[in-house]
Amino acid sequence: MIFLTLFLGLIANFIGYVPPGNINLTLVQITVNRGIKEALRFIISFSSAEFFFTYFIMHAAKWLSQQVKLDTVIDWVMVVLFGVLGTVTWMHRKKPPETNYSEHESIKYGIVLGFVNPMQVPFWMITGTYLITHQWILDGKLALVIFSLGAAAGAFLALFLYAKFAVYIKSKFALSTRVINTGIALLFFSLAAYHVVKQVYLVFFKK
């Protein structure tokens, strides 16, 4: 049962970080601009914070799923977040990568984003409630600790693959930092637009 709980946490969170979002796109940006070493610092610190984030969210999954307006609030938070990230990335797209920066900067960034991660809230609301309700995992403290360890490992694995993919794409196609940052900025704007369209549809068209 312990192994299954760990494995479910790993697989669930790995899947959660496969679609493009603020975390993996930020990681790609760090990898391209600062290199794989800084990317690994970010991944390790983020995954460590993800353990605590998952543990808290899984504890509150049932309660969160009952909050009627929470999805709407999260959508608009994501609009602001993606808009800001897209704007900052777009404004710095022509700026050459820094050669000197604090080795602790990526660690701090990873910890902050690990705890401020609104995209994962609805994911764990659905996934966590489903797993607990169908008794795939227990909702005791030890079980959730083990599950959260698996989730941290899943986040690490998914983000590590993203970082390696970013290195491969940059080297294989000889893409400039400007091109990659422009692409990431457009993805951020697209994700912000998606959440706006979603809320407009829910408010004005869905009955």
Side-chain angles (χ1 to χ4, degrees):
M1 189 65 183
I2 292 176
F3 176 78
L4 177 61
T5 302
L6 185 72
F7 180 74
L8 285 172
L10 190 153
I11 293 298
N13 217 24
F14 179 87
I15 294 172
Y17 282 106
V18 170
N22 60 313
I23 303 302
N24 40 34
L25 290 179
T26 298
L27 171 66
V28 169
Q29 201 172 5
I30 291 174
T31 307
V32 169
N33 294 336
R34 302 183 180 183
I36 192 68
K37 187 175 180 180
E38 288 300 311
L40 283 172
R41 287 194 176 111
F42 174 86
I43 293 170
I44 292 170
S45 59
F46 176 84
S47 300
S48 300
E50 181 76 354
F51 165 79
F52 297 100
F53 179 85
T54 303
Y55 183 77
F56 170 76
I57 292 297
M58 288 295 288
H59 260 297
K62 290 183 179 178
W63 178 81
L64 287 170
S65 64
Q66 296 169 356
Q67 307 309 303
V68 179
K69 298 293 184 180
L70 187 61
D71 284 346
T72 302
V73 172
I74 290 174
D75 274 337
W76 288 115
V77 168
M78 295 313 302
V79 169
V80 174
L81 180 60
F82 284 130
V84 170
L85 289 172
T87 301
V88 171
T89 303
W90 181 265
M91 290 174 63
H92 290 82
R93 70 190 187 283
K94 297 179 181 179
K95 186 179 179 181
E98 297 179 17
T99 54
N100 295 311
Y101 36 77
S102 171
E103 64 179 19
H104 301 299
E105 188 174 340
S106 295
I107 296 174
K108 292 176 182 178
Y109 202 24
I111 292 173
V112 169
L113 289 183
F115 285 108
V116 184
N117 191 6
M119 279 199 77
Q120 286 298 91
V121 175
F123 174 79
W124 284 126
M125 279 167 51
I126 298 169
T127 306
T129 303
Y130 179 87
L131 291 173
I132 292 173
T133 301
H134 289 78
Q135 297 183 336
W136 282 91
I137 62 171
L138 303 175
D139 57 356
K141 290 184 178 180
L142 179 59
L144 291 183
V145 166
I146 294 169
F147 183 84
S148 299
L149 283 172
F156 179 92
L157 181 59
L159 295 178
F160 179 76
L161 291 176
Y162 256 97
K164 297 296 286 185
F165 180 71
V167 172
Y168 172 79
I169 290 296
K170 185 179 180 182
S171 61
K172 186 71 174 179
F173 298 98
L175 297 176
S176 67
T177 302
R178 178 181 176 180
V179 171
I180 294 174
N181 284 338
T182 300
I184 292 173
L186 292 175
L187 279 171
F188 279 135
F189 288 136
S190 298
L191 290 167
Y194 162 77
H195 286 282
V196 172
V197 171
K198 177 185 173 184
Q199 283 303 312
V200 170
Y201 170 76
L202 290 175
V203 172
F204 296 103
F205 298 100
K206 188 176 181 180
K207 295 181 180 180

